mmCIF file of all heavy atoms in Angstrom:
data_model
loop_
_atom_site.group_PDB
_atom_site.id
_atom_site.type_symbol
_atom_site.label_atom_id
_atom_site.label_comp_id
_atom_site.label_asym_id
_atom_site.label_seq_id
_atom_site.Cartn_x
_atom_site.Cartn_y
_atom_site.Cartn_z
ATOM 1 N N THR F 1433 -48.411 -4.396 -202.517
ATOM 2 C CA THR F 1433 -49.625 -5.327 -202.893
ATOM 3 C C THR F 1433 -50.717 -4.967 -201.887
ATOM 4 O O THR F 1433 -50.522 -4.865 -200.685
ATOM 5 C CB THR F 1433 -49.176 -6.762 -202.562
ATOM 6 O OG1 THR F 1433 -47.878 -7.021 -202.971
ATOM 7 C CG2 THR F 1433 -50.087 -7.741 -203.382
ATOM 8 N N SER F 1434 -52.000 -4.882 -202.543
ATOM 9 C CA SER F 1434 -53.129 -4.563 -201.589
ATOM 10 C C SER F 1434 -53.455 -5.819 -200.906
ATOM 11 O O SER F 1434 -53.134 -6.864 -201.264
ATOM 12 C CB SER F 1434 -54.266 -4.112 -202.504
ATOM 13 O OG SER F 1434 -54.728 -5.200 -203.129
ATOM 14 N N LEU F 1435 -54.191 -5.655 -199.745
ATOM 15 C CA LEU F 1435 -54.423 -6.847 -198.898
ATOM 16 C C LEU F 1435 -55.672 -7.494 -199.428
ATOM 17 O O LEU F 1435 -56.683 -7.519 -198.763
ATOM 18 C CB LEU F 1435 -54.734 -6.285 -197.428
ATOM 19 C CG LEU F 1435 -53.393 -6.130 -196.564
ATOM 20 C CD1 LEU F 1435 -53.597 -5.768 -195.211
ATOM 21 C CD2 LEU F 1435 -52.473 -7.268 -196.675
ATOM 22 N N SER F 1436 -55.613 -7.951 -200.657
ATOM 23 C CA SER F 1436 -56.594 -8.799 -201.162
ATOM 24 C C SER F 1436 -56.016 -10.230 -201.468
ATOM 25 O O SER F 1436 -54.887 -10.176 -202.033
ATOM 26 C CB SER F 1436 -57.158 -8.123 -202.470
ATOM 27 O OG SER F 1436 -56.482 -8.565 -203.652
ATOM 28 N N LEU F 1437 -56.712 -11.131 -201.266
ATOM 29 C CA LEU F 1437 -56.235 -12.503 -201.494
ATOM 30 C C LEU F 1437 -55.725 -12.720 -202.921
ATOM 31 O O LEU F 1437 -54.811 -13.286 -203.232
ATOM 32 C CB LEU F 1437 -57.151 -13.548 -201.049
ATOM 33 C CG LEU F 1437 -57.467 -13.587 -199.460
ATOM 34 C CD1 LEU F 1437 -58.517 -14.689 -199.118
ATOM 35 C CD2 LEU F 1437 -56.160 -13.773 -198.690
ATOM 36 N N LYS F 1438 -56.562 -12.074 -203.787
ATOM 37 C CA LYS F 1438 -56.270 -12.294 -205.172
ATOM 38 C C LYS F 1438 -54.763 -11.640 -205.600
ATOM 39 O O LYS F 1438 -53.992 -12.394 -206.148
ATOM 40 C CB LYS F 1438 -57.277 -11.484 -206.029
ATOM 41 C CG LYS F 1438 -57.556 -11.971 -207.355
ATOM 42 C CD LYS F 1438 -58.794 -11.330 -208.015
ATOM 43 C CE LYS F 1438 -58.483 -10.912 -209.279
ATOM 44 N NZ LYS F 1438 -59.204 -11.540 -210.391
ATOM 45 N N GLU F 1439 -54.621 -10.478 -204.994
ATOM 46 C CA GLU F 1439 -53.326 -9.868 -205.295
ATOM 47 C C GLU F 1439 -52.167 -10.519 -204.548
ATOM 48 O O GLU F 1439 -51.140 -10.709 -205.164
ATOM 49 C CB GLU F 1439 -53.339 -8.436 -204.829
ATOM 50 C CG GLU F 1439 -54.249 -7.474 -205.817
ATOM 51 C CD GLU F 1439 -53.922 -7.736 -207.253
ATOM 52 O OE1 GLU F 1439 -52.751 -7.620 -207.631
ATOM 53 O OE2 GLU F 1439 -54.848 -7.988 -208.097
ATOM 54 N N LEU F 1440 -52.469 -10.915 -203.320
ATOM 55 C CA LEU F 1440 -51.481 -11.597 -202.542
ATOM 56 C C LEU F 1440 -50.930 -12.888 -203.188
ATOM 57 O O LEU F 1440 -49.913 -13.318 -202.964
ATOM 58 C CB LEU F 1440 -51.920 -11.772 -201.013
ATOM 59 C CG LEU F 1440 -52.040 -10.446 -200.174
ATOM 60 C CD1 LEU F 1440 -52.851 -10.821 -198.847
ATOM 61 C CD2 LEU F 1440 -50.745 -9.969 -199.897
ATOM 62 N N SER F 1441 -51.949 -13.550 -203.816
ATOM 63 C CA SER F 1441 -51.716 -14.880 -204.355
ATOM 64 C C SER F 1441 -50.631 -14.775 -205.421
ATOM 65 O O SER F 1441 -50.130 -15.764 -205.941
ATOM 66 C CB SER F 1441 -52.950 -15.493 -204.859
ATOM 67 O OG SER F 1441 -53.340 -14.918 -206.072
ATOM 68 N N LYS F 1442 -50.442 -13.593 -205.988
ATOM 69 C CA LYS F 1442 -49.489 -13.503 -207.103
ATOM 70 C C LYS F 1442 -48.036 -13.298 -206.539
ATOM 71 O O LYS F 1442 -47.149 -13.251 -207.299
ATOM 72 C CB LYS F 1442 -49.930 -12.247 -207.933
ATOM 73 C CG LYS F 1442 -51.213 -12.444 -208.598
ATOM 74 C CD LYS F 1442 -51.688 -11.251 -209.478
ATOM 75 C CE LYS F 1442 -53.120 -11.457 -209.979
ATOM 76 N NZ LYS F 1442 -53.627 -10.230 -210.513
ATOM 77 N N LYS F 1443 -47.938 -13.075 -205.322
ATOM 78 C CA LYS F 1443 -46.600 -12.834 -204.627
ATOM 79 C C LYS F 1443 -45.709 -14.075 -204.740
ATOM 80 O O LYS F 1443 -46.277 -15.166 -204.667
ATOM 81 C CB LYS F 1443 -46.751 -12.391 -203.152
ATOM 82 C CG LYS F 1443 -47.061 -10.939 -203.017
ATOM 83 C CD LYS F 1443 -46.942 -10.495 -201.571
ATOM 84 C CE LYS F 1443 -45.462 -10.164 -201.224
ATOM 85 N NZ LYS F 1443 -45.403 -9.632 -199.904
ATOM 86 N N GLU F 1444 -44.464 -13.836 -204.722
ATOM 87 C CA GLU F 1444 -43.472 -15.037 -204.693
ATOM 88 C C GLU F 1444 -43.548 -15.694 -203.364
ATOM 89 O O GLU F 1444 -43.736 -15.077 -202.322
ATOM 90 C CB GLU F 1444 -42.016 -14.432 -204.829
ATOM 91 C CG GLU F 1444 -40.943 -15.475 -204.914
ATOM 92 C CD GLU F 1444 -39.656 -14.829 -204.551
ATOM 93 O OE1 GLU F 1444 -39.527 -13.665 -204.405
ATOM 94 O OE2 GLU F 1444 -38.780 -15.666 -204.390
ATOM 95 N N GLU F 1445 -43.533 -17.080 -203.493
ATOM 96 C CA GLU F 1445 -43.648 -17.832 -202.245
ATOM 97 C C GLU F 1445 -42.266 -17.752 -201.507
ATOM 98 O O GLU F 1445 -41.186 -17.880 -202.070
ATOM 99 C CB GLU F 1445 -43.843 -19.302 -202.681
ATOM 100 C CG GLU F 1445 -43.283 -20.316 -201.727
ATOM 101 C CD GLU F 1445 -43.190 -21.677 -202.408
ATOM 102 O OE1 GLU F 1445 -44.223 -22.263 -202.683
ATOM 103 O OE2 GLU F 1445 -42.090 -22.226 -202.577
ATOM 104 N N LEU F 1468 -46.392 -13.114 -196.519
ATOM 105 C CA LEU F 1468 -47.134 -12.561 -197.600
ATOM 106 C C LEU F 1468 -47.401 -11.028 -197.329
ATOM 107 O O LEU F 1468 -47.468 -10.195 -198.190
ATOM 108 C CB LEU F 1468 -48.496 -13.294 -197.681
ATOM 109 C CG LEU F 1468 -48.582 -14.552 -198.411
ATOM 110 C CD1 LEU F 1468 -49.862 -15.281 -198.260
ATOM 111 C CD2 LEU F 1468 -48.211 -14.453 -199.916
ATOM 112 N N MET F 1630 -52.370 -9.315 -191.158
ATOM 113 C CA MET F 1630 -51.441 -8.799 -192.200
ATOM 114 C C MET F 1630 -51.295 -7.243 -191.990
ATOM 115 O O MET F 1630 -50.265 -6.703 -192.120
ATOM 116 C CB MET F 1630 -51.888 -9.065 -193.516
ATOM 117 C CG MET F 1630 -51.798 -10.590 -193.934
ATOM 118 S SD MET F 1630 -51.865 -10.765 -195.615
ATOM 119 C CE MET F 1630 -51.987 -12.555 -195.779
ATOM 120 N N GLN V 1251 -63.971 -18.813 -205.956
ATOM 121 C CA GLN V 1251 -62.624 -18.278 -206.151
ATOM 122 C C GLN V 1251 -62.383 -17.186 -204.985
ATOM 123 O O GLN V 1251 -61.812 -16.165 -205.232
ATOM 124 C CB GLN V 1251 -62.447 -17.548 -207.473
ATOM 125 C CG GLN V 1251 -62.396 -18.528 -208.641
ATOM 126 C CD GLN V 1251 -61.143 -19.418 -208.582
ATOM 127 O OE1 GLN V 1251 -60.104 -19.101 -207.854
ATOM 128 N NE2 GLN V 1251 -61.016 -20.524 -209.458
ATOM 129 N N CYS V 1252 -62.818 -17.546 -203.750
ATOM 130 C CA CYS V 1252 -62.672 -16.541 -202.639
ATOM 131 C C CYS V 1252 -61.131 -16.711 -202.229
ATOM 132 O O CYS V 1252 -60.698 -15.882 -201.465
ATOM 133 C CB CYS V 1252 -63.543 -16.911 -201.545
ATOM 134 S SG CYS V 1252 -63.211 -18.559 -200.792
ATOM 135 N N LEU V 1253 -60.527 -17.844 -202.505
ATOM 136 C CA LEU V 1253 -59.082 -18.041 -202.072
ATOM 137 C C LEU V 1253 -58.830 -18.238 -200.607
ATOM 138 O O LEU V 1253 -57.668 -18.276 -200.167
ATOM 139 C CB LEU V 1253 -58.217 -16.948 -202.653
ATOM 140 C CG LEU V 1253 -58.049 -16.818 -204.167
ATOM 141 C CD1 LEU V 1253 -57.013 -15.708 -204.534
ATOM 142 C CD2 LEU V 1253 -57.508 -18.212 -204.719
ATOM 143 N N TRP V 1256 -56.638 -21.251 -200.251
ATOM 144 C CA TRP V 1256 -55.244 -20.926 -200.531
ATOM 145 C C TRP V 1256 -54.615 -20.235 -199.370
ATOM 146 O O TRP V 1256 -53.480 -20.546 -198.917
ATOM 147 C CB TRP V 1256 -55.192 -19.977 -201.841
ATOM 148 C CG TRP V 1256 -53.790 -19.330 -202.043
ATOM 149 C CD1 TRP V 1256 -52.721 -19.934 -202.476
ATOM 150 C CD2 TRP V 1256 -53.442 -18.065 -201.570
ATOM 151 N NE1 TRP V 1256 -51.627 -19.068 -202.434
ATOM 152 C CE2 TRP V 1256 -52.032 -17.938 -201.898
ATOM 153 C CE3 TRP V 1256 -54.167 -16.976 -201.046
ATOM 154 C CZ2 TRP V 1256 -51.350 -16.803 -201.604
ATOM 155 C CZ3 TRP V 1256 -53.407 -15.745 -200.794
ATOM 156 C CH2 TRP V 1256 -52.029 -15.692 -201.093
ATOM 157 N N ILE V 1257 -55.227 -19.278 -198.754
ATOM 158 C CA ILE V 1257 -54.585 -18.583 -197.595
ATOM 159 C C ILE V 1257 -54.637 -19.387 -196.358
ATOM 160 O O ILE V 1257 -53.661 -19.287 -195.523
ATOM 161 C CB ILE V 1257 -55.425 -17.177 -197.326
ATOM 162 C CG1 ILE V 1257 -54.541 -16.358 -196.280
ATOM 163 C CG2 ILE V 1257 -56.725 -17.366 -196.704
ATOM 164 C CD1 ILE V 1257 -53.296 -15.845 -197.002
ATOM 165 N N VAL V 1264 -52.337 -25.211 -202.462
ATOM 166 C CA VAL V 1264 -53.476 -24.790 -203.368
ATOM 167 C C VAL V 1264 -52.778 -24.066 -204.477
ATOM 168 O O VAL V 1264 -52.182 -22.904 -204.181
ATOM 169 C CB VAL V 1264 -54.498 -23.938 -202.666
ATOM 170 C CG1 VAL V 1264 -55.538 -23.499 -203.688
ATOM 171 C CG2 VAL V 1264 -55.179 -24.716 -201.557
ATOM 172 N N LYS V 1265 -52.670 -24.583 -205.690
ATOM 173 C CA LYS V 1265 -51.944 -23.814 -206.683
ATOM 174 C C LYS V 1265 -52.823 -22.750 -207.178
ATOM 175 O O LYS V 1265 -54.095 -22.817 -207.358
ATOM 176 C CB LYS V 1265 -51.570 -24.809 -207.787
ATOM 177 C CG LYS V 1265 -50.623 -25.827 -207.376
ATOM 178 C CD LYS V 1265 -50.051 -26.523 -208.591
ATOM 179 C CE LYS V 1265 -50.005 -28.012 -208.654
ATOM 180 N NZ LYS V 1265 -48.948 -28.694 -209.266
ATOM 181 N N VAL V 1266 -52.222 -21.561 -207.411
ATOM 182 C CA VAL V 1266 -52.922 -20.427 -207.960
ATOM 183 C C VAL V 1266 -52.240 -19.948 -209.195
ATOM 184 O O VAL V 1266 -51.042 -19.976 -209.351
ATOM 185 C CB VAL V 1266 -53.157 -19.284 -207.044
ATOM 186 C CG1 VAL V 1266 -54.077 -19.543 -205.896
ATOM 187 C CG2 VAL V 1266 -51.656 -18.935 -206.361
ATOM 188 N N LYS V 1267 -52.996 -19.355 -210.106
ATOM 189 C CA LYS V 1267 -52.495 -18.845 -211.360
ATOM 190 C C LYS V 1267 -53.392 -17.529 -211.648
ATOM 191 O O LYS V 1267 -54.588 -17.670 -211.821
ATOM 192 C CB LYS V 1267 -52.617 -19.820 -212.540
ATOM 193 C CG LYS V 1267 -51.770 -19.313 -213.775
ATOM 194 C CD LYS V 1267 -51.657 -20.574 -214.592
ATOM 195 C CE LYS V 1267 -51.697 -20.301 -216.123
ATOM 196 N NZ LYS V 1267 -50.642 -19.468 -216.633
ATOM 197 N N ASP V 1268 -52.643 -16.499 -211.809
ATOM 198 C CA ASP V 1268 -53.308 -15.130 -212.160
ATOM 199 C C ASP V 1268 -54.464 -14.863 -211.218
ATOM 200 O O ASP V 1268 -55.595 -14.428 -211.662
ATOM 201 C CB ASP V 1268 -53.911 -15.244 -213.615
ATOM 202 C CG ASP V 1268 -52.800 -15.332 -214.618
ATOM 203 O OD1 ASP V 1268 -51.702 -14.782 -214.398
ATOM 204 O OD2 ASP V 1268 -53.013 -16.088 -215.665
ATOM 205 N N GLY V 1269 -54.179 -15.025 -209.900
ATOM 206 C CA GLY V 1269 -55.213 -14.710 -208.933
ATOM 207 C C GLY V 1269 -56.430 -15.706 -208.835
ATOM 208 O O GLY V 1269 -57.351 -15.350 -208.167
ATOM 209 N N LYS V 1270 -56.289 -16.791 -209.527
ATOM 210 C CA LYS V 1270 -57.354 -17.794 -209.372
ATOM 211 C C LYS V 1270 -56.773 -19.197 -208.944
ATOM 212 O O LYS V 1270 -55.666 -19.487 -209.340
ATOM 213 C CB LYS V 1270 -58.033 -17.990 -210.708
ATOM 214 C CG LYS V 1270 -58.971 -16.880 -211.093
ATOM 215 C CD LYS V 1270 -59.763 -17.123 -212.342
ATOM 216 C CE LYS V 1270 -61.165 -16.785 -212.323
ATOM 217 N NZ LYS V 1270 -61.407 -15.360 -212.491
ATOM 218 N N ARG V 1271 -57.489 -19.914 -208.119
ATOM 219 C CA ARG V 1271 -56.967 -21.180 -207.696
ATOM 220 C C ARG V 1271 -57.170 -22.176 -208.900
ATOM 221 O O ARG V 1271 -58.115 -22.131 -209.567
ATOM 222 C CB ARG V 1271 -57.609 -21.597 -206.412
ATOM 223 C CG ARG V 1271 -59.089 -22.149 -206.548
ATOM 224 C CD ARG V 1271 -59.382 -23.303 -205.562
ATOM 225 N NE ARG V 1271 -58.688 -24.531 -205.838
ATOM 226 C CZ ARG V 1271 -58.500 -25.610 -205.015
ATOM 227 N NH1 ARG V 1271 -58.870 -25.484 -203.789
ATOM 228 N NH2 ARG V 1271 -57.918 -26.633 -205.460
#
Side-chain angles (χ1 to χ4, degrees):
Chain F
T1433 320
S1434 74
L1435 281 182
S1436 86
L1437 294 180
K1438 207 167 131 115
E1439 290 310 309
L1440 289 167
S1441 72
K1442 296 174 185 166
K1443 281 190 83 175
E1444 185 204 348
E1445 152 198 293
L1468 282 170
M1630 291 198 191
Chain V
Q1251 290 291 348
C1252 66
L1253 292 183
W1256 167 78
I1257 190 67
V1264 177
K1265 296 200 228 201
V1266 286
K1267 193 166 145 61
D1268 298 324
K1270 285 186 138 79
R1271 75 149 287 164

